[in-house]
Amino acid sequence: MPAHLIVLAAGQGSRMKSELPKVLHRVGHAPLFVHALTAGETLEPETRVLVVGHGGDAVQAEAANYDPDIRIAHQTEQLGTAHAVAQACDALKGAEGDAFVLYGDTPFIRPETLSRMAAARAGGAAVVVLGFEAADPGRYGRLVVEDGTLERIVEFKDATEAERAITLCNSGVICADAATLFDLIDAVGNDNASGEYYLTDIVGIARARGLHCAAVTCPEAETMGINTRAELARAEAIFQDRRRAEAVDDGVTMTAPETVFFAYDTHLGRDAVIEPHIVFGPGVTVESDAQIRAFSHLEGCHVGARAVVGPYARLRPGAELGNDAKIGNFVEIKSAEIGEGAKVNHLSYVGDATVGAKANIGAGTVTCNYDGVFKHRTEIGERAFIGSSTMLVAPVRVGDDAMTGSGSVITNDVPDGALGLGRAKQVTKDGFAKRLMASLKAAKAKRTN
Ligand code: UD1
Ligand code: MG
């Protein structure tokens, strides 16, 4: 059955004390709403609708970066969760299949949990609500279950003492046939303690119509919503712990996983070795058997199989390392392809460049890629040998099997197999150093007398 996601992201999040709309705050480098969407991917949704309100333009712009197909519904006034879902009605007009409502500020719902909700729908429940046993039920809505049937949800403010004693709480995640959902929402009023249109009311309305409703439960940890910076920091820690555990389970070796930081989309191949104190920014893929050595920072890059990176290396966006490549200490790579088995082992900057297979880049080499206005490319051929401390003033090409002399400033292309030398010729003066030192020492002795 086709599925559709509705992610509520209109709230202001005033407790974040931020200019940024709450759902744009990041966990693992991805905005909160992206985590909700990602959990929903397991349902292979046909439609994704993001309901935006506060900071709507900014949220819409960010959403387009992640998924150009995402539909945006505007909720200009926040009149409650049912009102928010109602704004998605146009985007889902005529849609067949189930609609899942998720909150944009609740990043940890597991895909398996949503699959269990889909299964409960397939099992005949018209409305399925995700509940959890709360350690401290606080102000959550309470699920009223009688004889295994979910009868209604009562909001804390409207609950009786007996209802407040219920510990089975509403996570906010709800699923129903799309057409049924909007039909039920049409019947929701706002005659309650908050004067809001409660999405939770659809359960009682469905029951009154003789429809079956069910609750699926999950651990409380999944339902954690972010309302404050402290909760955001806690969410980051939870996210990192989850990703570390997943990586280890998937066959990655990590000697000190608690010191490794993941992004939402970090991909580590089997038997990759990740040493301590590594930071993965967004967009990193590390292939099998590669080694990321201690204190390295990677973002927007691809590390080939068996490649070795670091210690103390920095891979910036567009770094593409071929299989068996080696990037050593204090080396920065940006927008550059490093061919198979090529080595850049020490103290170098390689940016806007192509380095051929098996090339060797000597210590202290710099691709001078920027003239102050434009960026230019450097091409280094296969098996080329770049002498230590070569300045490659781009645009420039060093051919296959070519060499440059140490300390050269290379401004012209070096053809295949040639040696490029671009440095002052050495002058040697016999005995000069000794004489100079003697005269300096004599001058010093005179001064101190
Ligand atoms: C809601 C539930 C409650 C549940 C709790 C779980 C209702 C009526 N209550 O309460 O049963 O236990 O979540 O956290 O649904 N939003 C909009 N537009 C609106 C209102 C809300 O987009 O007009 C979004 C918010 O940004 C937020 C989510 O919906 O992401 C939930 O809204 P919130 O105001 O936090 O609802 P609660 O009162 O916490
Ligand atoms: Mg809330």
Side-chain angles (χ1 to χ4, degrees):
M1 189 183 306
H4 312 276
L5 299 182
I6 302 170
V7 176
L8 304 190
Q12 182 171 22
S14 50
R15 284 192 282 154
M16 296 298 282
K17 298 187 182 150
S18 176
E19 295 300 313
L20 204 62
K22 178 161 76 172
V23 293
L24 291 190
H25 284 270
R26 286 163 192 268
V27 163
H29 292 275
L32 289 172
F33 75 85
V34 170
H35 290 269
L37 286 169
T38 306
E41 282 308 300
T42 190
L43 304 165
E44 297 177 16
E46 228 174 69
T47 327
R48 299 165 186 80
V49 189
L50 194 60
V51 180
V52 304
H54 283 280
D57 290 346
V59 179
Q60 181 166 9
E62 188 78 46
N65 287 336
Y66 285 86
D67 181 356
D69 293 334
I70 203 155
R71 309 284 296 269
I72 301 292
H74 292 273
Q75 188 194 26
T76 42
E77 262 186 300
Q78 278 71 60
L79 302 180
T81 45
H83 179 258
V85 175
Q87 309 313 306
C89 185
D90 278 352
L92 292 178
K93 220 168 211 112
E96 288 184 8
D98 287 349
F100 286 76
V101 178
L102 300 167
Y103 291 170
D105 61 1
T106 304
F108 295 127
I109 304 290
R110 283 188 191 267
E112 306 85 86
T113 300
L114 297 178
S115 301
R116 282 193 293 118
M117 291 180 74
R121 266 281 301 135
V127 177
V128 179
V129 174
L130 181 63
F132 63 101
E133 280 295 338
D136 170 14
R139 304 184 66 80
Y140 287 118
R142 308 297 208 264
L143 302 192
V144 181
V145 178
E146 286 161 12
D147 300 329
T149 295
L150 177 62
E151 291 293 343
R152 62 204 153 82
I153 305 177
V154 57
E155 287 304 295
F156 176 80
K157 279 191 190 171
D158 304 285
T160 63
E161 278 309 309
E163 287 165 337
R164 286 180 181 184
I166 297 172
T167 52
L168 182 60
C169 292
N170 175 28
S171 70
V173 183
I174 285 187
C175 132
D177 167 75
T180 310
L181 175 70
F182 293 115
D183 200 37
L184 292 168
I185 283 177
D186 271 346
V188 172
N190 65 350
D191 182 15
N192 53 49
S194 307
E196 285 184 12
Y197 294 89
Y198 292 159
L199 179 60
T200 44
D201 281 354
I202 67 169
V203 173
I205 296 167
R207 288 299 295 139
R209 294 181 186 179
L211 298 171
H212 178 57
C213 300
V216 161
T217 57
C218 71
E220 181 167 9
E222 285 186 44
T223 69
M224 177 189 181
I226 312 301
N227 297 298
T228 63
R229 303 271 184 166
E231 285 168 354
L232 185 68
R234 205 147 60 84
E236 183 71 40
I238 293 168
F239 168 84
Q240 294 298 341
D241 278 345
R242 248 199 205 188
R243 293 306 307 270
R244 291 162 185 153
E246 281 168 10
V248 170
D249 281 350
D250 288 348
V252 173
T253 298
M254 288 200 279
T255 43
E258 68 281 8
T259 66
V260 175
F261 291 85
F262 285 77
Y264 71 105
D265 59 352
T266 305
H267 178 83
L268 304 179
R270 186 171 281 211
D271 289 314
V273 176
I274 312 297
E275 290 190 354
H277 301 287
I278 306 297
V279 176
F280 293 110
V284 176
T285 297
V286 174
E287 302 289 354
S288 294
D289 296 299
Q291 263 190 69
I292 311 298
R293 307 209 50 205
F295 300 102
S296 294
H297 188 283
L298 295 82
E299 60 190 316
C301 62
H302 177 254
V303 177
R306 300 172 302 281
V308 180
V309 174
Y312 300 100
R314 178 162 185 215
L315 301 185
R316 290 174 53 204
E320 282 280 333
L321 310 191
N323 296 342
D324 303 291
K326 284 208 165 125
I327 303 301
N329 39 237
F330 307 108
V331 170
E332 173 180 345
I333 309 283
K334 184 219 72 166
S335 291
E337 282 160 47
I338 309 296
E340 288 204 9
K343 295 178 183 169
V344 191
N345 272 338
H346 333 269
L347 300 160
S348 293
Y349 171 66
V350 178
D352 300 305
T354 310
V355 175
K358 294 261 165 63
N360 190 315
I361 312 296
T365 294
V366 173
T367 54
C368 309
N369 57 333
Y370 186 46
D371 59 16
V373 179
F374 297 105
K375 298 275 173 69
H376 302 281
R377 289 195 70 80
T378 300
E379 278 179 52
I380 297 170
E382 296 185 3
R383 299 169 302 281
F385 184 95
I386 305 299
S388 294
S389 216
T390 297
M391 299 294 120
L392 296 154
V393 182
V396 74
R397 176 174 189 277
V398 177
D400 293 346
D401 304 293
M403 294 174 96
T404 67
S406 301
S408 288
V409 178
I410 300 294
T411 53
N412 296 314
D413 288 356
V414 180
D416 292 354
L419 167 68
L421 273 178
R423 63 189 188 202
K425 210 171 171 73
Q426 182 173 330
V427 177
T428 307
K429 299 185 176 178
D430 285 334
F432 186 93
K434 238 177 159 174
R435 287 197 302 279
L436 177 65
M437 196 51 75
S439 78
L440 288 173
K441 280 180 178 163
K444 188 177 181 188
K446 225 180 196 175
R447 262 194 221 176
T448 46
N449 279 341

